[in-house]
Amino acid sequence: MQRVLPPSRSLPLFGVQRTREIEQRAREALPPHTLMRRAGLAVARLALAVAPHARRVWIAAGPGNNGGDGFEAALHLRAAGKHVLVTVAGVPERMPADALDALARAREAGVAIAVEAPDDLGPADLAIDALLGIGATRAPDPALAQTIARLNTLPCPVLSIDLPSGLHGGTGQPLGENCVRAQHCLTLLTVKPGLFTAAGRDHAGVVWFDDLSVTIRSDAPDAWLIGGDSAALGPRSHVQHKGSFGDVAVVGGAPGMTGAALLAARAAHAAGAGRTFVSLLDEHRMTHDPLRPELMFRDGWWKSAEATLRHATVVCGCGGGDAVREALPRLFSAAGRLVLDADALNAIAGDPKLQTLLRSRSQRGRPTVMTPHPLEAARLMSFETAKVQADRLGAAQSLADDFGTVVLLKGSGTVVATPGAIPYINATGTAALATAGTGDVLAGWLGGLWAQQPQNDGMAAALRVTCAAVFRHGAAADACTSPALRAGDLIDSMLRLS
């Protein structure tokens, strides 16, 4: 058993269908009821670890195999000296064979089976959510919804088995108005993507994983969870110089939004770019940054010779306003590496000609990274934002496949997708990042990392630096002790993680 976050290495994530396939093969290879008995023992061990002083344990068992895991856990907890009460939703006799076996074993061990939940649980006690597992595809019925509501009002911690009941394992979206908010979740056999994106983090609490001693050898995952191994891009050689680490040019900063471009440029510089240029779109533009005089201001840089644009990494759109539209055709045509953020994405969403030019970049081997938040993604897809959030993995993958770019879909559990490949979910970060300018910092830092990569790495380098940038961006928030992290301070926080 392991605690999943923070992930030291990238982990494969398996959705509902692939998990079922893996589970079926494991059942066929093992004696009857083996998986459920292992699952129940794992749940009991974690329960004793997270609530060692609990006197009373309530296990809310559902009508399927998730409930069976709860029965198995109950007999082990009773053997450990805990006062265990199990309530059963539905008709026990209609449960699957594994769950019926577990129920019989629990009864034989003397576990108390009741109809009503206990009303005397204290803060030191424990409740175990064994209501619904990966099989749930619709909102819980009224009886289950009532039990979920009861779990969410308890003064003691709640431990969910496999998934918080009412949460979709693939999308991380609640299936209805009632979804368990657990303090701990033990995901079994496979790690599910829904625990780490959309509402998953808020409902799952601390996520633990037990593979039930089943080795997964050949299944391609539905996604990868970005780990700390993705954040390391290698040391610098002693003989390298600023020319070794590439140029970044930030194109943005329309009137009233100069700060966005400055934040992106400062972040690119901090990430290690050899030189950082700032091309502001404000006619009354500043000529230098007094905080970071290392930044070089160039009027109309985006009109430079094609060779200059081809060898630079361009971050475009931060605070660009409507003025950024004029620069986009030239950048689409000539820029070697291009990060598109904020107003650049909004301009593309409303202009079919720009969309066509963007798609042509991949056909010419010019890699691009798009960094939309959910509303910007919705505009690009002509969707409602709720539809993007309903399936964040699917939305990011559709955008990547459509435009031939790397897509970084921001939000809780940021998704990184590339055309025709397995997407990634980032598990670092908190709502401390929910302040103006943090997205500009992410775009700039990404550009700064990308500028340091070999020019011929193409899409592979784009994916690598995007995962590294978003992991560190979130890790800085994880280390933050205040409710909100100001964008200017975020850059220094990211540097301290080096």
Side-chain angles (χ1 to χ4, degrees):
M1 187 184 302
Q2 68 183 88
R3 180 170 173 166
V4 175
L5 301 180
S8 59
R9 59 184 178 84
S10 296
L11 291 175
L13 304 175
F14 295 90
V16 174
Q17 183 59 38
R18 281 193 170 91
T19 295
R20 287 191 179 281
E21 294 167 359
I22 293 165
E23 183 179 27
Q24 182 59 35
R25 289 200 300 270
R27 288 181 188 278
E28 293 171 354
L30 294 168
H33 316 308
T34 298
L35 277 184
M36 184 165 289
R37 293 180 183 181
R38 290 178 182 176
L41 179 59
V43 172
R45 286 175 172 169
L46 181 57
L48 293 171
V50 300
H53 304 298
R55 294 180 301 104
R56 299 173 60 83
V57 179
W58 169 35
I59 300 178
N65 283 331
N66 202 250
D69 296 339
F71 298 141
E72 286 287 345
L75 67 91
H76 291 294
L77 290 170
R78 187 177 190 280
K82 303 298 182 182
H83 180 82
V84 182
L85 179 69
V86 180
T87 57
V88 185
V91 181
E93 289 71 21
R94 296 179 182 174
M95 288 182 167
D98 279 355
L100 283 173
D101 174 75
L103 175 58
R105 281 163 48 81
R107 282 173 169 161
E108 185 178 350
V111 172
I113 309 294
V115 176
E116 296 293 332
D119 57 7
D120 58 349
L121 293 176
D125 293 325
L126 180 70
I128 296 179
D129 160 32
L131 291 171
L132 300 171
I134 63 171
T137 57
R138 62 181 185 274
D141 65 34
L144 288 173
Q146 185 176 7
T147 304
I148 289 172
R150 172 75 176 124
L151 287 166
N152 285 341
T153 61
L154 292 175
C156 66
V158 175
L159 165 60
S160 287
I161 300 177
D162 216 19
L163 291 167
S165 291
L167 187 78
H168 192 283
T171 66
Q173 283 292 354
L175 293 165
E177 294 182 1
N178 293 281
C179 184
V180 168
R181 284 184 175 266
Q183 283 67 53
H184 297 273
C185 178
L186 175 59
T187 185
L188 300 166
L189 191 61
T190 65
V191 185
K192 286 74 178 176
L195 295 169
F196 306 101
T197 194
R201 290 287 298 278
D202 286 330
H203 285 271
V206 179
V207 179
W208 305 80
F209 171 54
D210 195 302
D211 63 8
L212 305 182
S213 299
V214 173
T215 301
I216 302 172
R217 299 189 182 278
S218 59
D219 291 76
D222 291 293
W224 287 94
L225 188 68
I226 300 173
D229 53 344
S230 298
L233 297 180
R236 293 187 169 197
S237 300
H238 196 275
V239 297
Q240 289 181 298
H241 50 83
K242 67 181 180 183
S244 305
F245 303 113
D247 293 344
V248 171
V250 175
V251 180
M257 296 182 287
T258 300
L262 291 183
L263 285 168
R266 291 172 185 174
H269 174 250
R275 297 188 300 177
T276 304
F277 300 99
V278 183
S279 183
L280 297 177
L281 301 172
D282 186 346
E283 60 182 6
H284 303 295
R285 45 190 161 261
M286 57 197 303
T287 58
H288 72 287
D289 180 359
L291 181 63
R292 290 263 68 101
E294 304 94 334
L295 304 180
M296 294 173 281
F297 286 66
R298 297 289 188 271
D299 292 348
W301 180 93
W302 52 273
K303 301 175 183 177
S304 300
E306 183 168 343
T308 300
L309 272 62
R310 186 173 64 250
H311 287 98
T313 299
V314 182
V315 178
C316 179
C318 302
D322 290 335
V324 79
R325 293 175 183 272
E326 183 183 358
L328 287 174
R330 174 65 173 164
L331 293 176
F332 287 167
S333 172
R337 294 166 166 176
L338 186 57
V339 179
L340 296 171
D341 187 50
D343 289 320
L345 299 174
N346 292 329
I348 295 163
D351 191 331
K353 292 182 179 179
L354 288 178
Q355 294 171 21
T356 299
L357 288 174
L358 175 56
R359 292 186 182 101
S360 73
R361 283 182 56 80
S362 64
Q363 299 165 5
R364 293 182 287 116
R366 300 286 178 90
T368 307
V369 178
M370 303 167 69
T371 63
H373 56 53
L375 177 56
E376 290 161 349
R379 289 169 180 155
L380 287 163
M381 303 177 78
S382 299
F383 284 171
E384 294 296 323
T385 306
K387 189 173 181 179
V388 172
Q389 290 294 80
D391 183 5
R392 289 171 52 77
L393 282 166
Q397 192 62 57
S398 293
L399 271 176
D401 292 341
D402 183 11
F403 288 104
T405 70
V406 175
V407 170
L408 188 163
L409 177 59
K410 292 180 282 197
S412 179
T414 293
V415 178
V416 178
T418 53
I422 297 170
Y424 288 75
I425 296 176
N426 182 53
T428 63
T430 70
L433 292 171
T435 62
T438 57
D440 302 309
V441 171
L442 175 58
W445 192 280
L446 196 166
L449 292 184
W450 200 3
Q452 300 170 60
Q453 302 303 298
Q455 284 284 341
N456 58 0
D457 274 5
M459 194 69 79
L463 173 62
R464 187 166 62 247
V465 299
T466 301
C467 289
V470 74
F471 185 92
R472 179 170 290 201
H473 187 255
D478 290 340
C480 179
T481 57
S482 61
L485 184 54
R486 292 177 298 187
D489 297 334
L490 173 60
I491 298 172
D492 291 334
S493 298
M494 294 175 73
L495 267 175
R496 284 195 292 270
L497 295 174
S498 301

